[in-house]
Amino acid sequence: MSKYQQFIFDTYVFDKAKKQLDLCYSLDDQLNFTESYHFDFDFADYDEAVLDRAIQTLFFMAGVSYYKTYLPPQIAVRQGTIDTLMAQFLGKTYQRGLGEFFYVNSLDSNTQIAFPATMQAMQPVTHKGAGQLVGLGGGKDSLVTIELLRPGTSDLATWSAGHRPQLTPLVERIGLPHFWVERTWDRKLLEVNQQDAYNGHVPISGVLGCVGIVTAVLAGKRDIVVSNEQSANEPTMGYQGVNINHQYSKSQEFERDFQALLSHQFGDSLRYYSLLRPFSELRIAELFAGLAFEKYKDVFSSCNRAFTHTSDRMSWCGECPKCAFTFLILTPFVAQPALEVTWNKNLLLDATLEPTYRQLLGIEGDKPLECVGEIRESRFAMRLSQEQYPTLKDKYVFDLPPDYNFRKLSSHELPDDIYQVFTKVLAKLQPQPGQHE
């Protein structure tokens, strides 16, 4: 039984002069949390009703970090409006997005999370914005998105949430307008986690998607562009009859649900999509090698340890599953000396990483609870790498479908106008998708 009975969405306050948004939550009016966002850029003209709607979406989504502490059975809304469709979206996203959290805490993965609908259906509001706003995480994926969009759009900008010291050299190298957002989560979470609160993974990409919506309104942009690939759809493991996906809020299912919610709220005036959804991770690695590696090799990182609160620069730890996977998928496309300079060693020949590679290849154990690619593309990358490193052939033995083509385009959720730009740019790149070398 939960220590608290009610999770309360208390208040949200936007101070335009200070450029700050405060989101306030409570458990039984006894334990209070405040999450803050500072938007460090000049605002475009915006409609107050549009901004309020965007803020509410973030308010309800960001609450997941604090709701999970004690999983109270009831949810109450003191400020803001939730209609039937939003209640369904939030309930599903919280439940599926907390799948890994339920697993690591040995909780019921079928736990239903019921949001109260305060009205039947809200009327859409219209945002007046233009251009693409690309979320910048620091890794190879967003850089591929940027380089694919550059030739086909005249209104392209980037944005990021936090990690300004690490990201500044990368932002400068990209050379596009950038919108800085600073997210400050309530450090009281650390206190309750050391006491008796639950802790674990939340659908952070879903939260950041909602931050992107608010940023787009304030920046006068129409499209929030993310860089989630087809591989994010693959479940990490099964638990209590449920597929657990570490990357649920990067999945195509979430993207589709979020698009439906935004269409319901804003019509076609605010759009969210992943430009890289048609690609496998391996194809993205190939594109990155050709389009961006030389340009960004000393200022990019996909390693989570590069973004700890004690770090102020981009780096690769060379020990985690993200490092191991990224090194693996770049090996067929980037010269060995260049990779070894980036990581300061050869990860494929590091004996301490053998258990990690066996997980990535599906040889033993579950996939790591990290943002890594599909088992089959890890296997294909390893098969290509074994041509360079014959000693790996006996070390990693696995089967691979004979018809697997990592360049084949998969399904996507791109708007028609963006897909036309996408296909035109892709047609100019070699080798063509769908072909084998």
Side-chain angles (χ1 to χ4, degrees), residues 14-22 37-40 43:
F14 181 67
D15 188 322
K16 185 175 182 179
K18 293 182 178 179
K19 301 182 177 181
Q20 179 156 319
L21 171 64
D22 293 327
Y37 294 85
H38 180 68
F39 300 89
D40 190 15
F43 298 162

Side-chain angles (χ1 to χ4, degrees), residues 188-210:
K188 199 178 299 176
L189 276 177
L190 296 175
E191 297 177 22
V192 298
N193 287 340
Q194 291 171 357
Q195 298 168 9
D196 55 359
Y198 292 118
N199 192 20
H201 180 72
V202 299
I204 188 62
S205 296
V207 176
L208 294 176
C210 294

Side-chain angles (χ1 to χ4, degrees), residues 129-133 153-157 220-225 273:
Q132 286 80 41
L133 187 62
T153 180
S154 59
D155 191 352
L156 184 63
K221 300 300 181 185
R222 182 189 185 192
D223 291 0
I224 300 88
V225 188
Y273 53 84

Side-chain angles (χ1 to χ4, degrees), residues 76-371:
V77 177
R78 287 191 179 148
Q79 185 178 358
T81 303
I82 297 179
D83 69 359
T84 302
L85 189 146
M86 177 176 264
Q88 293 171 349
F89 168 81
L90 291 169
K92 177 182 178 181
T93 302
Y94 270 48
Q95 197 267 337
R96 297 289 298 279
L98 289 173
E100 178 182 326
F101 165 84
F102 291 135
Y103 165 72
V104 299
N105 288 286
S106 301
L107 298 168
D108 183 2
S109 62
N110 293 286
T111 299
Q112 298 300 303
I113 301 172
F115 276 77
T118 59
M119 66 182 298
Q120 187 66 31
M122 62 181 70
Q123 293 299 310
V125 292
T126 302
H127 170 57
K128 295 180 180 178
Q132 286 80 41
L133 187 62
V134 178
L136 186 63
K140 68 183 185 335
D141 296 353
S142 55
L143 296 173
V144 170
T145 291
I146 290 164
E147 297 307 325
L148 288 177
L149 283 175
R150 269 191 210 267
T153 180
S154 59
D155 191 352
L156 184 63
T158 56
W159 80 278
S160 58
H163 312 297
R164 190 164 182 162
Q166 297 99 321
L167 290 173
T168 294
L170 179 60
V171 168
E172 292 174 349
R173 190 76 55 86
I174 292 169
L176 292 171
H178 186 79
F179 298 89
W180 295 101
V181 181
E182 192 64 39
R183 172 182 179 241
T184 305
W185 49 271
D186 197 320
R187 295 303 189 264
K188 199 178 299 176
L189 276 177
L190 296 175
E191 297 177 22
V192 298
N193 287 340
Q194 291 171 357
Q195 298 168 9
D196 55 359
Y198 292 118
N199 192 20
H201 180 72
V202 299
I204 188 62
S205 296
V207 176
L208 294 176
C210 294
V211 180
I213 298 299
V214 176
T215 305
V217 173
L218 293 173
K221 300 300 181 185
R222 182 189 185 192
D223 291 0
I224 300 88
V225 188
V226 293
S227 306
N228 303 324
E229 69 291 328
Q230 190 68 208
S231 313
N233 295 331
E234 184 178 70
T236 308
M237 64 175 64
Y239 171 62
Q240 295 182 344
V242 175
N243 284 330
I244 303 299
N245 186 355
H246 173 80
Q247 303 189 80
Y248 175 73
S249 57
K250 289 185 176 181
S251 72
Q252 196 166 354
E253 182 177 359
F254 171 82
E255 182 180 357
R256 198 178 295 122
D257 289 349
F258 194 38
Q259 286 180 339
L261 177 69
L262 294 180
S263 177
H264 176 66
Q265 294 180 319
F266 304 100
D268 198 35
S269 65
L270 268 174
R271 307 189 300 187
Y272 171 95
Y273 53 84
S274 174
L275 191 78
L276 304 187
R277 184 67 68 190
F279 294 140
S280 68
E281 272 273 35
L282 198 52
R283 176 59 170 148
I284 294 169
E286 181 181 43
L287 290 169
F288 178 71
L291 292 171
F293 180 79
E294 277 301 315
K295 182 176 182 180
Y296 301 113
K297 61 185 178 182
D298 59 333
V299 289
F300 88 105
S301 177
S302 302
C303 176
N304 292 332
R305 298 183 192 179
F307 296 101
T308 59
H309 299 290
T310 57
S311 173
D312 62 355
R313 63 185 180 85
M314 293 297 243
S315 60
W316 297 89
C317 73
E319 300 171 355
C320 71
K322 285 286 287 291
C323 281
F325 177 72
T326 306
F327 192 96
L328 170 63
I329 61 173
L330 286 176
T331 293
F333 312 115
V334 177
Q336 175 186 334
L339 286 182
E340 292 186 3
V341 167
T342 300
W343 270 271
N344 295 314
K345 62 178 178 178
N346 190 315
L347 273 61
L348 286 176
L349 304 181
D350 185 341
T352 63
L353 287 172
E354 288 181 21
T356 300
Y357 279 119
R358 296 180 73 81
Q359 286 182 303
L360 291 169
L361 296 166
I363 295 173
E364 62 183 41
D366 293 311
K367 277 174 56 178
L369 291 167
E370 290 271 11
C371 295

Side-chain angles (χ1 to χ4, degrees), residues 23-69:
L23 309 177
C24 304
Y25 309 97
S26 171
L27 289 130
D28 290 352
D29 285 321
Q30 297 175 23
L31 181 59
N32 300 296
F33 297 102
T34 299
E35 179 158 310
S36 300
Y37 294 85
H38 180 68
F39 300 89
D40 190 15
F41 54 85
D42 293 332
F43 298 162
D45 292 333
Y46 60 84
D47 185 295
E48 294 284 356
V50 173
L51 179 63
D52 185 68
R53 183 71 59 82
I55 286 173
Q56 286 191 43
T57 306
L58 172 58
F59 179 47
F60 295 125
M61 190 66 232
V64 67
S65 298
Y66 308 99
Y67 166 82
K68 78 169 190 327
T69 54

